[in-house]
Amino acid sequence: MHAALMMLVDGRFPAGGHTNSAGVEAAVRVGDIRDEPSLRRYLTGRLATTGIVDAAFSAHTAGLAPPFDEQLIALGLEYSARVPSPNLRDVSTRFGRQMLRAGAQVWSSPLLDAVASGQPGVHQPLILGAIAQAAGGTPNDAALLSLHHLAAAVTSAAIRLLGLDPMSVAAMQAEMSEQIDACANDADLWAGACPADLPANSGSLTEILAEDHGRWDARLFVA
Amino acid sequence: MKGHGSIVVAGRNVAAGQGSRLQSAYAEPPFSIRECGERVLIAASAAAPLGGDELSLRVAVEAGARADIGTVASTIVLPGPTGAPSTMFTDCSVARGGHLEWVGEPTVSVGGSDHTVSTTVRLEELATCRIVEEVSLGRSGEPSGTLRLVLRVERCGQPLVHHDELFGPSVPGAGSVVSVGPARHVLSEVVVGVETGESRSVVGSESRAAWLPVADDAVLLLAVGPDRPAVLAAVAEVYRKPS
């Protein structure tokens, strides 16, 4: 890994990731996440569902070769079809916009230009993939970045909401590294796949609770 | 067992709006296909699916026709003698202006089974559909097997819904809200050709449901709960709720 990619891993990169709890805020409210074991169970499930889907779309985008416009449109439609919650789709394009604003100032590439000048409302995993490519990353790098962002969002949100011990949560996340790495094993396969065949792993309650969360009067996180 | 079935529904006289008819039906065991008033019903002629079974069904709704297809009874998914998984692939196409109504009785995943239900619906221009799938996770007081539900709906070649969900006690995150929490009954309903309005959600302590528009005229409704009455009540509440 090189320095440019490390900027994307760094939580201080101004892409707005700290406002995403990846569903943890809603899960805490309904009592599903209470402690470290239930947090671990949640992260395990989330990696295998939305985690895989986002990683796959990032990996595919990171592997794109020109011409880009039609491929980006097809990818956007496929991703939208996998996110039935309108709130989650909206959050994804908002995070995408924020990440693109930061990324397009730092890097430039034909793909990033195509993303920035094409239709608005590009989903975050596609933006991450385009930025990863511009920063010299492979599809596997893009998938790992996506999965790491998810793990970081879940664990840091749980620490803030439940007051869990940050060191012991970090140890838990480290213990799950092998599992996280394994989720990206198919990155090259995803890069070469037809967009319709990319994973669509999902959970009914993920969508239901995320839609409900969007309507809360007061919340700490965007999603 | 490998079994295939096929149903073709055509319009009688589309221009005159004279209703639809079952144009052809073909069924190998475990399927048998019967016309029942306005509906076409699939009855099981053998115990299936058992582990190892590969089942497939093809449904074609011709231009302007309306097909109302269902199942006579619940589908009990049982493990087979070898531990092999079973599959049920359903491929539906609805031609221009046609409508497919598919409301099946619940699929019951019995402990130890490993079953995939994959349904693809392709709609041409002006075609509509309502697809309702229900799943009971285990018989009363028993754990469920592993069940994978895949649903993909396309309109004019573009995806509207692609949902791939894995249920069971050994799936990653089982028991958490990433999966279906402690729920034992799950319903998903796709409606294309409806004025969706805004999204709605019902989050009670036991049952949760949401009305999730995926286009101006298409929606995915998801509901989970402890049992069928609770889930159907949550679905009714979502339908009633003003958006």
Side-chain angles (χ1 to χ4, degrees), chain B:
Chain B
M1 185 189 309
K2 288 187 184 183
H4 179 69
S6 148
I7 298 170
V8 179
V9 174
R12 274 209 176 83
N13 182 343
V14 175
Q18 285 177 355
S20 305
R21 68 191 165 87
L22 179 62
Q23 177 166 297
S24 72
Y26 168 80
E28 297 167 0
F31 301 113
S32 75
I33 295 165
R34 299 279 181 274
E35 250 184 312
C36 190
E38 295 290 299
R39 297 191 84 195
V40 176
L41 293 179
I42 301 163
S45 62
L50 294 178
D53 285 356
E54 294 171 28
L55 311 177
S56 61
L57 191 66
R58 166 105 182 86
V59 174
V61 183
E62 300 203 337
R66 180 192 161 85
D68 187 349
I69 300 175
T71 48
V72 169
S74 297
T75 303
I76 310 286
V77 181
L78 294 162
T82 64
S86 52
T87 52
M88 167 76 193
F89 288 101
T90 306
D91 183 82
C92 309
S93 60
V94 186
R96 187 184 164 87
H99 177 82
L100 170 63
E101 186 91 3
W102 174 286
V103 184
E105 294 299 312
T107 296
V108 183
S109 169
V110 175
S113 66
D114 181 357
H115 186 54
T116 294
V117 180
S118 178
T119 306
T120 305
V121 181
R122 280 188 301 271
L123 305 172
E124 285 183 15
E125 216 179 343
L126 302 174
T128 56
C129 69
R130 177 165 170 260
I131 313 288
V132 182
E133 287 186 325
E134 265 185 90
V135 170
S136 286
L137 298 173
R139 299 196 303 179
S140 179
E142 295 178 6
S144 77
T146 300
L147 181 70
R148 183 178 171 205
L149 281 187
V150 187
L151 175 64
R152 183 174 168 96
V153 180
E154 294 176 4
R155 173 163 57 188
C156 301
Q158 292 191 342
L160 277 178
V161 171
H162 193 151
H163 192 85
D164 185 342
E165 190 159 359
L166 201 55
F167 305 95
S170 59
V171 307
S176 82
V177 295
V178 169
S179 180
V180 290
R184 305 273 316 219
H185 198 84
V186 180
L187 180 146
S188 74
E189 175 172 347
V190 177
V191 191
V192 179
V194 63
E195 208 163 296
T196 60
E198 298 284 308
S199 73
R200 301 161 224 171
S201 55
V202 172
V203 174
S205 58
E206 285 196 312
S207 297
R208 285 104 189 227
W211 170 270
L212 305 166
V214 295
D216 291 343
D217 65 342
V219 69
L220 175 63
L221 190 162
L222 297 171
V224 309
D227 52 32
R228 192 177 196 211
V231 167
L232 295 182
V235 169
E237 196 179 339
V238 160
Y239 261 100
R240 272 199 312 270
K241 202 169 180 174
S243 58

Side-chain angles (χ1 to χ4, degrees), chain A residues 78 81 89 202 204 211-212 215, chain B residues 152 162 164-165 199 201 213:
Chain A
E78 290 291 347
R89 288 198 301 275
S202 187
S204 293
E211 193 58 28
D212 192 63
R215 264 192 285 275
Chain B
R152 183 174 168 96
H162 193 151
D164 185 342
E165 190 159 359
S199 73
S201 55

